[in-house]
Amino acid sequence: MTPELQRMDWMPSPPLAPIDSPLDLDHLSRMTLGDADLQQEVLAMFAEQAVRLIAAMAALPAEAGALAHKLKGSARGVGAFAVADAAASLEIAVQTGHDQRHALAALKEAVTEARAAIEAMLKP
């Protein structure tokens, strides 16, 4: 006898191919269940948090890896995958002690691009 198989609905993964925008709006919509007000609130919170975390990492303190890890998770949640990837690179650079300044510069650039996209979306 074969057990009955139940149909499971899976959440799609982030795209494998790069997207043209610093934000994956389809991912953001899935994460906020299509609630436009929630999307705006989450994006505003992410933009503020990103500024605070980048400022805290500016001098590459001992906790820079942990701060990068926090930013990586937040970025993945809102669909800012370039920020998440850059944060992961900084996290690894801090762990290995290699090329931390370059990784931080790349993270700053990714955050700047994501914040510009967020500001454009949040304009009234």
Side-chain angles (χ1 to χ4, degrees):
M1 300 190 107
T2 335
E4 285 189 34
L5 298 177
Q6 296 180 7
R7 182 172 188 267
M8 296 183 77
D9 292 325
W10 294 94
M11 179 181 286
S13 297
L16 296 177
I19 55 175
D20 291 339
S21 170
L23 299 171
D24 182 339
L25 299 179
D26 290 336
H27 177 78
L28 178 62
S29 181
R30 284 190 303 272
M31 295 303 286
T32 58
L33 303 174
D35 184 330
D37 291 335
L38 180 57
Q39 289 173 22
Q40 290 186 342
E41 183 179 342
V42 167
L43 287 175
M45 288 181 355
F46 171 74
E48 290 174 18
Q49 179 192 44
V51 169
R52 284 193 315 271
L53 290 174
I54 288 293
M57 288 185 271
L60 289 168
E63 66 273 6
L67 296 171
H69 183 79
K70 179 185 270 189
L71 183 55
K72 176 179 68 175
S74 296
R76 285 184 178 156
V78 300
F81 294 115
V83 173
D85 291 345
S89 293
L90 177 58
E91 188 177 10
I92 291 168
V94 168
Q95 290 170 354
T96 62
H98 295 106
D99 218 6
Q100 295 175 38
R101 291 274 169 213
H102 177 72
L104 179 60
L107 178 56
K108 286 179 182 179
E109 183 178 333
V111 166
T112 298
E113 290 176 8
R115 288 192 68 238
I118 291 168
E119 286 174 15
M121 289 178 61
L122 296 181
K123 280 186 180 177

